[in-house]
Amino acid sequence: FVGRALYDPESTIVLRVLSWDEREVTGPALVAARVARALAFRQRVLPDDLDGYRVINAEADGLPAFTVDRYGTYLVAHLFSPIALAFRDAAYDALMEMEGIQGIYEQRRFVSLKGQAPAQPATLVRGPAAPVSLVVREGRSRFLCDVTAPLSTGLFLDLRRGREAVTRYATGRRVLNLFSYTGAVSVAAQLGGATQVTAVDASAKAHARARLNFSQNGFDAEAPEHIVGDVFKVLSRLGQRDRRFDLAFVDPPAFGTVKQGRLFSAVKDYGELVGAVLPLLTPGGVLMAATAARKISPEDFDWMLAQGARAARCGLRIVERCTLPPDFFVVPAFPEGNYLKFVVALRD
């Protein structure tokens, strides 16, 4: 006996292990026990003033190809393979027993040998329909999230420790937030006492949601400078105007955003992006650089930062690395789960 696995002949991962224990009987009872163990762990390691977090972390929690995130009073489940259909109903039954949960939305992101299908809106599978915007608590912060959205709810839960770092470093600093999306990092900077926040994103709609997040936290929605445009072009304009910042936050999408008329690729273009940001940082300024691109190793990421620093003819000193929060814990047998790279560095 080696283990029991779920079989998906159409996937790049054909077998996903459900149990290594010959004595374990697969079925609803095992799934309910896995959910209960996951909930108990989160209760031990997460603070009480947090209701946006990962509830089930796929293989790490013993439920492969299946993640569940909490946003206030609703859960969003992601299924990455049809094999998750074998146990999802038992998991949903157990999850609906969570205190304060009203409903569950499901997103299917099946990845076959032919590639990933286009993202579809989330489907309501338990409970009443959610409002368009849910308020999610994260310490002193409040964020508006849409659990029905096809791609992202508006808040990246795995960047929680990164936002905490922004709050710690932002005091008295002028902050540049690139690829700012719905402004969660901008809110974190404002909470930390930033003297100025400049947010850059290609989407005017994202800036509109960022203003709502600022208002939700009791700040003036028009206090940040919101710039719509291609990040590389905006950086060039800011440099021409001799604009300078004391902290820059960089977390581009792995793919999809436009870079001067072509698609940006984190694997190919991250070093160039860092090289364009550093001239705008004051000496001693803080660069916070992050990526969730799984194809970039920590060593590759450091090398990309080095390439950017060389292009900008300055030095960088890495003073801190932020890891995934404990609800995204990684098990040694599944190192692929440790995908986040987040560096805090000082510019010479």
Side-chain angles (χ1 to χ4, degrees), residues 273-313:
L273 175 61
V274 171
V277 172
L278 287 176
L280 274 64
L281 270 182
T282 55
V286 180
L287 173 69
M288 293 190 177
T291 181
R294 297 178 186 272
K295 292 184 178 180
I296 299 177
S297 70
E299 295 76 18
D300 290 339
F301 192 54
D302 284 4
W303 178 243
M304 292 172 180
L305 298 181
Q307 287 179 312
R310 181 179 180 182
R313 297 182 179 181

Side-chain angles (χ1 to χ4, degrees), residues 6-311:
L6 297 169
Y7 175 56
D8 180 5
E10 298 298 323
S11 173
T12 54
I13 303 175
V14 178
L15 293 174
R16 294 181 186 258
V17 175
L18 192 62
S19 174
W20 298 106
D21 189 345
E22 189 173 8
R23 297 166 297 177
E24 280 188 321
V25 178
T26 58
L30 177 63
V31 174
R34 297 275 171 89
V35 171
R37 184 178 65 180
L39 295 179
F41 175 75
R42 270 74 180 176
Q43 190 171 20
R44 290 199 309 271
V45 301
L46 296 179
D48 294 333
D49 57 356
L50 177 71
D51 61 11
Y53 56 88
R54 175 143 293 182
V55 179
I56 303 291
N57 195 28
E59 280 78 359
D61 279 306
L63 295 172
F66 183 71
T67 66
V68 180
D69 296 327
R70 178 173 183 170
Y71 296 93
T73 57
Y74 278 79
L75 302 176
V76 177
H78 295 97
L79 281 63
F80 297 97
S81 167
I83 61 102
L85 296 172
F87 57 77
R88 63 151 199 172
D89 288 334
Y92 292 160
D93 291 342
L95 289 165
M96 282 301 294
E97 298 299 320
M98 289 178 63
E99 182 179 354
I101 294 301
Q102 297 183 43
I104 303 174
Y105 278 82
E106 177 183 282
Q107 288 191 353
R108 298 187 182 185
R109 297 185 178 179
F110 298 163
V111 181
S112 70
L113 295 173
K114 299 177 182 178
Q116 184 170 351
Q120 300 295 324
T123 302
L124 181 66
V125 292
R126 292 284 195 282
V132 175
S133 293
L134 287 170
V135 178
V136 174
R137 296 180 300 128
E138 185 176 287
R140 292 186 293 156
S141 307
R142 299 293 182 270
F143 300 110
L144 296 173
C145 297
D146 178 7
V147 296
T148 69
L151 286 176
S152 173
T153 63
L155 180 64
F156 297 115
L157 301 178
D158 53 2
L159 273 178
R160 189 183 316 125
R161 283 179 167 167
R163 289 188 287 273
E164 292 171 356
V166 170
T167 299
R168 285 190 285 110
Y169 279 91
T171 307
R173 287 187 162 103
R174 297 164 293 179
V175 175
L176 176 64
N177 181 16
L178 301 177
F179 308 97
S180 56
Y181 193 36
T182 58
V185 166
S186 298
V187 169
Q190 196 71 36
L191 282 171
T195 59
Q196 171 192 320
V197 176
T198 298
V200 182
D201 197 278
S203 169
K205 184 178 180 180
H207 283 315
R209 295 178 68 183
R211 290 185 176 92
L212 292 175
N213 275 329
F214 253 68
S215 297
Q216 189 67 36
N217 286 275
F219 301 133
D220 180 2
E222 300 304 322
E225 178 185 15
H226 291 106
I227 301 176
V228 179
D230 176 297
V231 163
F232 282 89
K233 292 181 179 179
V234 171
L235 289 173
S236 177
R237 290 201 302 269
L238 291 173
Q240 292 171 4
R241 297 170 185 172
D242 291 325
R243 294 284 301 275
R244 293 295 180 267
F245 301 89
D246 310 301
L247 189 157
F249 184 90
V250 183
D251 181 23
F255 295 100
T257 186
V258 175
K259 176 207 168 191
Q260 296 179 335
R262 64 179 177 87
L263 292 182
F264 174 90
S265 166
V267 174
K268 297 178 181 179
D269 301 319
Y270 208 113
E272 183 181 351
L273 175 61
V274 171
V277 172
L278 287 176
L280 274 64
L281 270 182
T282 55
V286 180
L287 173 69
M288 293 190 177
T291 181
R294 297 178 186 272
K295 292 184 178 180
I296 299 177
S297 70
E299 295 76 18
D300 290 339
F301 192 54
D302 284 4
W303 178 243
M304 292 172 180
L305 298 181
Q307 287 179 312
R310 181 179 180 182

Side-chain angles (χ1 to χ4, degrees), residues 20 57 59-61 328-338:
W20 298 106
N57 195 28
E59 280 78 359
D61 279 306
F328 286 80
F329 71 91
V330 179
V331 294
F334 188 63
E336 295 87 349
N338 191 22

